[in-house]
Amino acid sequence: MAPVFKLCFPALLLSVVINAQAEDKTLNLYSWADYVPPQTLQRFEQETGIHVRYDTFDTSEVLETKLLTGGSGYDVVVPSSSVLARGLAAGALKEIPHEGLKGYANLDPDLLEKLAAVDPGNRYGVPYTWGTLGLGMNVEAVKQRLPDVPLNSLDLLFKPEYASKLKDCGIAILDSPQEVIGLALHYLGKDPYSTDKNDLAAAEALLQKLQPSVLYVATGRQINDLASGNVCLALTYNGDASMAADQARKANKPFEVAYRIPREGTLIWQDNLAIPKDAPHLEAARAFIEFMLRADSVAELTNTLFFATANQAATPLVDEAVRNDPDIYPPAEVRDRLYADRSMSLKDMRQRTRLWTTFRSHQ
C-alpha cells in the first residue's frame, strides 16, 4: 500500500493547489441589489479572471449585523458612512492603503473630507456613490390633488391636510428609522441626530399624524410602484426615484415620475467600498476597488442607476441629462442645505428603533 500512497500524494497535493488557486480567483461582494451594473461586473470578470459572487441586502441594518458579527466570508461590502463608523469602532474593517491605489486621486475632495469625520485619514473607506433622501412622485397625480403645493416641499408628507389628500393614490415611506426620524427632526427645525426626549417625542407625534395616510413602509418596492402608478408619493433615495422615472418613460406611461430634493433640506448620504477584517481574498478585493475607481466603470453605474458618483473624472462620461439634473447633482447652494450622514451609538439607535416599531406596527 505504501507505493500507492507515494503515487497518489503528489496528485492530491496538486489538486489542493489548483483548488486554492481557483478559490483565489473569487470575489465575494455584499451590496445593495443592482448596485453594480451587470455589464460592469462582466467586464471585471473578463479582464481579471476573478469570478464575482454577488449577495445583496435590503437594509443597512442587515449589512451592519453581518459586518459586526464577523466571519461573513465577504471581501468587499458597501456600507453607508454611519455603518462604516460603527464597523471601525468594532474593529470589523481592514485598512485600505490608498497609496498606489489606482484612480484614488479622482475622488471628490469634499466627499473625502465628509468621510474623514468618521474615518480619519480615509484609511478604511473608499467613497463610491452619494445622493439624497427626498420625494419621488407621480407629478400628475400629486398636482391633481394638491395643485397649489410646491412639489419640492416636505409639507406634502408632514402636513396632515396635504398627506390625507394623497392617501387614495398611495404614500410609501422608506424603511429606515434613523434616516426618516432624522428627516422629521430636521423638518421640525431640530438636530437630525438629537437624542433629546422632547425632540424625539415631537418627531414621533409628527409621524403619528402622517401614519393614517401611509400605504406602506418598505425598502425596494418604491421603484416599481412609482413606475407603475401604484403609489403617487414616496420618501425614497434619489436613484430609486430616477430609476422609476426611467421605467415609466420606457413603458410609455401616461404620467411623469420625478424626484425632488426638499427645499427644507435633507440628508446627503454616501456609500463606500470597504473590506471586512476577515476578508478571504484581499488581492481580489483591491483589484475590484481599483476597477470601480475607473472613470468608465463608475460612470456606467451613474448612467444606469442614477446615483451620483464620488469620482470626479467620471463626470464627463455621465450622460448630459443626468449630470445636469440638479436633483441628482445638486448645485452648491442646495448642497449647503443638506446635512451629512452621521454615526449614532447603539443605545441611541435602539431608542429610535422603538419609536419606529410603534410607527410601523399600524401598517
Side-chain angles (χ1 to χ4, degrees), residues 35-309:
Y35 218 22
V36 184
Q39 64 271 30
T40 305
L41 281 181
Q42 185 178 20
R43 197 165 63 251
F44 172 74
E45 291 183 332
Q46 289 172 344
E47 290 186 18
T48 64
I50 298 171
H51 172 64
V52 179
R53 293 173 179 162
Y54 190 165
D55 289 345
T56 64
F57 53 84
D58 57 7
T59 70
S60 291
E61 288 76 17
V62 172
L63 166 61
E64 185 169 355
T65 299
K66 289 260 190 184
L67 197 58
L68 299 188
T69 303
S72 67
Y74 293 114
D75 302 302
V76 175
V77 295
V78 188
S80 65
S81 296
S82 56
V83 172
L84 181 81
R86 289 189 288 275
L88 272 175
L93 298 172
K94 195 163 190 69
E95 186 172 340
I96 307 173
H98 44 76
E99 297 81 9
L101 194 65
K102 296 174 185 175
Y104 193 86
N106 295 329
L107 291 173
D108 186 332
D110 179 57
L111 296 177
L112 284 170
E113 184 180 350
K114 281 184 168 61
L115 184 61
V118 299
D119 176 16
N122 300 119
R123 306 301 297 179
Y124 292 86
V126 175
Y128 184 51
T129 58
W130 63 278
T132 52
L133 177 65
L135 303 168
M137 68 193 71
N138 178 324
V139 174
E140 286 76 11
V142 173
K143 281 185 173 181
Q144 180 184 1
R145 290 162 177 80
L146 297 168
D148 301 319
V149 180
L151 297 183
N152 65 341
S153 176
L154 291 171
D155 289 347
L156 290 172
L157 277 179
F158 293 135
K159 284 194 172 180
E161 62 268 32
Y162 295 161
S164 61
K165 291 184 179 179
L166 299 175
K167 180 178 180 179
D168 71 302
C169 60
I171 296 177
I173 303 294
L174 185 73
D175 188 9
S176 179
Q178 180 165 334
E179 294 178 345
V180 179
I181 294 169
L183 188 64
L185 286 165
H186 179 74
Y187 177 78
L188 292 169
K190 303 180 186 302
D191 177 3
Y193 300 100
S194 175
T195 58
D196 182 271
K197 289 183 179 179
N198 292 330
D199 290 349
L200 290 172
E204 183 173 22
L206 187 68
L207 290 173
Q208 283 176 346
K209 290 177 183 176
L210 167 63
Q211 193 279 328
S213 300
V214 173
L215 179 63
Y216 65 78
V217 177
T219 299
R221 286 178 57 184
Q222 291 94 333
I223 298 175
N224 289 334
D225 285 348
L226 278 170
S228 61
N230 290 335
V231 298
C232 63
L233 184 67
L235 180 62
T236 189
Y237 302 121
N238 61 293
D240 287 355
S242 296
M243 280 188 272
D246 188 54
Q247 286 183 20
R249 280 194 300 270
K250 289 176 178 175
N252 295 314
K253 293 292 183 179
F255 53 81
E256 176 191 1
V257 175
Y259 174 80
R260 295 291 181 265
I261 295 175
R263 63 183 183 180
E264 297 89 353
T266 188
L267 169 73
I268 177 172
W269 55 264
Q270 181 174 318
D271 282 343
N272 311 280
L273 302 175
I275 300 176
K277 186 79 171 181
D278 52 2
H281 310 114
L282 293 178
E283 288 187 14
R286 189 175 176 92
F288 180 76
I289 290 172
E290 286 191 334
F291 187 83
M292 294 312 299
L293 281 169
R294 278 173 31 178
D296 60 331
S297 298
V298 78
E300 197 166 42
L301 179 150
T302 300
N303 288 331
T304 304
L305 305 180
F306 307 103
F307 290 112
T309 170

Side-chain angles (χ1 to χ4, degrees), residues 345-356:
S345 70
L346 290 176
K347 176 186 174 184
D348 293 334
M349 287 182 64
R350 281 195 292 269
Q351 189 177 21
R352 293 191 175 205
T353 300
R354 286 193 293 270
L355 188 160
W356 190 248

